[in-house]
Amino acid sequence: MLRVLIWSLLAWPLPAVLAGALGWRGIWGSGSAFVDYLIPLPVAGGALHVPSFVLAGVAVAMLPAAGSAAAARLRALLAGTALAGVLLLLDLGELGLAAATGATPAGSLWQQNPLGLFLACDAATALVCAALAPQRPWLRADAASAALALAPLALPLGLVLGASGTGAAADFLPGASRDGAVRGDAIALVFTRLDTQAPDFRARAEAWAAPLHPRLSVNSEDVAILFTRDLDAARRFEADRAAATLCLYEDGTPARWLAGSRADDCFDGHVSFSERLAAAYAARPDGEPAELRTYAARAAVCVGVTPLPASGDTGGLELAPARICSGLPEARAALKARFPDAVLP
């Protein structure tokens, strides 16, 4: 049992030491992961270390009495587990996405994955004990050893396959976005795997873009969604690489499709409510107090507009006219008290 004791004294603190040296934070958002990973209680990250630690410890304990075949298979299992841990430490989602789309992986290829760290450390330290064990051959070229070595890889390889995505949502990936030149205008670049010339592309793209409609956003009134087949271009906001443009309008103007990168054409010729408000504000007399100008401009453009309900329930819609035109009576009363001689609409 001395072998197991020595291995335990090395294997248990090793992940905590490495995580602390790398500057990882605790699993539950605490400070340094060093202390968090050392405590084997449910309230600490060390609780996740227990399963792999126990299993690797069992393998170390079995080694002295194992036959040559069993020892070789234990080594195969430990080697596969160590490799699985290393793969889990990689950002498999980003790597899978890059492989599926031909894009350049974004950010660091490594991630703070405590499960991967625990598996890699426990299996690697146990593998050292297995390597020093006298049974030979070190590995056997048989089906059982191969299966034991490959079995732990099912989890990380499954993540890689899943990272490429399936279903309609995986056909589109949001990239970078920018505000337009005018308040209320927004431009979004979106990567698509689909052929933008396919007959069903526009219908599928509009269905995917439905949650991005400006009627559902408090930040935009007109949106130009540019679709590109280049994920790197979408992430870098290289708008000139877009193959198709979808124009969406908050005020009920029908959606428009334009070929190529045509964000400016989405906005040119269409006057949003915020633009109408800005024009009404600019038309007020020079020197008029800003509060009066703002109120008068709002009153001018809000004729016939239904403001927000008293309950504040918009049914999920975020319409600029309803928001801008709410509270006008209260604003008028407050201004009348401050500017009793002012003529207010």
Side-chain angles (χ1 to χ4, degrees):
M1 296 305 294
L2 180 61
R3 179 198 302 265
V4 177
L5 177 61
I6 294 174
W7 173 83
S8 299
L9 293 176
L10 174 64
W12 182 262
L14 181 59
V17 171
L18 292 177
L22 293 171
W24 288 18
R25 296 186 63 80
I27 291 176
W28 311 119
S30 58
S32 172
F34 175 73
V35 175
D36 186 52
Y37 286 10
L38 278 178
I39 303 174
L41 299 176
V43 295
L48 298 179
H49 187 186
V50 173
S52 62
F53 179 79
V54 170
L55 293 175
V58 170
V60 173
M62 291 173 57
L63 275 173
S68 60
R73 289 165 184 170
L74 277 175
R75 293 186 184 103
L77 178 60
L78 291 171
T81 302
L83 179 57
V86 172
L87 291 178
L88 287 172
L89 288 170
L90 291 169
D91 188 347
L92 296 177
E94 182 60 32
L95 287 173
L97 180 61
T101 62
T104 303
S108 173
L109 297 182
W110 299 96
Q111 60 181 345
Q112 295 186 23
N113 186 321
L115 177 59
L117 183 63
F118 295 149
L119 287 174
C121 290
D122 290 342
T125 52
L127 192 59
V128 172
C129 294
L132 297 176
Q135 297 93 334
R136 291 295 184 270
W138 197 85
L139 282 177
R140 287 174 177 265
D142 56 25
S145 296
L148 288 170
L150 294 176
L153 303 182
L155 177 59
L157 292 179
L159 293 176
V160 171
L161 294 175
S164 62
T166 57
D171 293 331
F172 302 92
L173 292 171
S177 60
R178 298 285 189 277
D179 291 332
V182 176
R183 178 182 175 85
D185 292 348
I187 307 169
L189 240 65
V190 175
F191 165 78
T192 179
R193 308 171 194 267
L194 305 177
D195 179 3
T196 57
Q197 302 300 317
D200 62 341
F201 171 76
R202 293 187 174 185
R204 295 174 68 176
E206 287 186 33
W208 176 85
L212 304 180
H213 200 286
R215 293 176 66 84
L216 304 176
S217 172
V218 71
N219 298 316
S220 59
E221 296 174 56
D222 302 339
V223 174
I225 302 179
L226 281 59
F227 294 91
T228 176
R229 300 288 301 278
D230 187 334
L231 180 57
D232 289 334
R235 287 172 166 171
R236 292 194 293 259
F237 200 77
E238 296 176 358
D240 58 332
R241 300 295 302 274
T245 301
L246 172 61
C247 310
L248 299 174
Y249 305 102
E250 180 191 76
D251 62 7
T253 299
R256 289 197 298 156
W257 278 97
L258 304 171
S261 177
R262 304 274 294 281
D264 289 343
D265 291 337
C266 281
F267 307 136
D268 292 346
H270 180 267
V271 181
S272 68
F273 194 83
S274 290
E275 290 177 279
R276 289 173 54 198
L277 177 64
Y281 183 91
R284 298 298 301 172
D286 292 338
E288 185 178 36
E291 301 96 318
L292 294 177
R293 295 186 73 180
T294 299
Y295 169 80
R298 290 172 63 197
V301 299
C302 287
V303 175
V305 174
T306 302
L308 291 174
S311 65
D313 183 10
T314 64
L317 298 179
E318 298 289 350
L319 305 180
R323 186 176 67 255
I324 291 171
C325 297
S326 293
L328 278 177
E330 294 81 359
R332 188 182 191 282
L335 289 172
K336 196 65 178 176
R338 294 181 58 193
F339 304 95
D341 299 328
V343 177
L344 301 177

